[in-house]
Amino acid sequence: GAPSNEHPEWICRDQNGIPMTSYRSLSPGLEEVREYTINVAMEIVQNYDIDGLHLDYIRWNEHTNSQRDSPPTLQDELKRLDGSITENQIYDLHLNPSGRFLYDYEHPYSAGIPNGFNSWEDWWRWSVTTFVKTLHDSIQFVKPHVKLSAAVLGKYNWSGWQGYGTVYQDAALWYNEGYLDHLGI
């Protein structure tokens, strides 16, 4: 079954601790989520003759609780799958930061910034970067010829919809540190 059905505690939550009900995302802040995803990826790397592995949606989600009561249309779903969001959705991300689903059962907003970090933003970026680096290192250990790539937002850290500050994706770091061989948009 789907990991979100088997482990509903892994689903991202808003500042009030309410889990996502649509566009459900697993929290990259949870070590068990990162381990689960790495195990799935490594099963592919180890058991299939592949030249590369491409990651999609390697970031925190871009959803808010204000979208909870309106089920998405098929057109909205397809746009989301293509990585597009509307100007209203971008505005909502900035207008309703407390409604963002950026927390989890181990890291609730009420507990404050996780130990060792200066801000939630640092922790969010760290959690995604830790996943990418760990997967890269795991692949290199088993099959160093297998390339790792990821789809990232085209805007790194400027204007409204961008990787670094909206979904906490540090693609420049990943590429510059050699955690990824290729970046895609």
Side-chain angles (χ1 to χ4, degrees):
S4 61
N5 290 338
E6 292 181 25
H7 297 279
E9 72 277 11
W10 289 0
I11 297 171
C12 293
R13 300 162 189 265
D14 66 14
Q15 282 190 6
N16 292 322
I18 299 169
M20 302 174 86
T21 56
S22 61
Y23 299 115
R24 294 186 304 176
S25 297
L26 303 181
S27 172
L30 294 170
E31 185 174 348
E32 61 257 54
V33 169
R34 295 190 302 265
E35 287 177 2
Y36 170 85
T37 310
I38 287 168
N39 287 339
V40 170
M42 290 307 296
E43 184 175 325
I44 295 166
V45 170
Q46 290 171 325
N47 295 319
Y48 297 92
D49 184 21
I50 61 172
D51 295 324
L53 188 66
H54 182 71
L55 305 172
D56 195 11
Y57 213 94
I58 303 304
R59 61 185 193 237
W60 281 87
N61 71 79
E62 65 277 4
H63 303 286
T64 66
N65 59 15
S66 63
Q67 301 157 2
R68 184 184 306 137
D69 297 327
S70 54
T73 66
L74 178 58
Q75 187 176 13
D76 289 341
E77 288 276 5
L78 293 174
K79 285 181 180 177
R80 289 267 183 183
L81 290 173
D82 286 339
S84 300
I85 68 172
T86 67
E87 289 298 319
N88 286 341
Q89 290 165 328
I90 292 170
Y91 181 72
D92 188 37
L93 291 175
H94 297 288
L95 183 70
N96 185 18
S98 66
R100 294 279 312 267
F101 292 102
L102 298 172
Y103 309 92
D104 57 52
Y105 80 97
E106 281 188 4
H107 309 95
Y109 176 75
S110 60
I113 298 166
N115 288 338
F117 296 91
N118 293 322
S119 67
W120 280 105
E121 291 82 2
D122 288 347
W123 179 75
W124 293 322
R125 275 188 285 277
W126 171 86
S127 62
V128 180
T129 296
T130 296
F131 168 78
V132 173
K133 181 184 185 318
T134 303
L135 178 57
H136 168 268
D137 292 351
S138 300
I139 292 170
Q140 288 300 300
F141 184 76
V142 174
K143 287 187 181 176
H145 69 276
V146 173
K147 304 294 183 197
L148 183 62
S149 63
V152 299
L153 296 190
K155 290 190 228 173
Y156 174 64
N157 67 348
W158 61 92
S159 74
W161 177 232
Q162 43 108 346
Y164 189 82
T166 306
V167 292
Y168 310 104
Q169 198 180 53
D170 198 347
L173 175 77
W174 305 343
Y175 188 76
N176 291 334
E177 293 295 322
Y179 307 156
L180 293 176
D181 299 293
H182 304 284
L183 295 175
I185 299 175

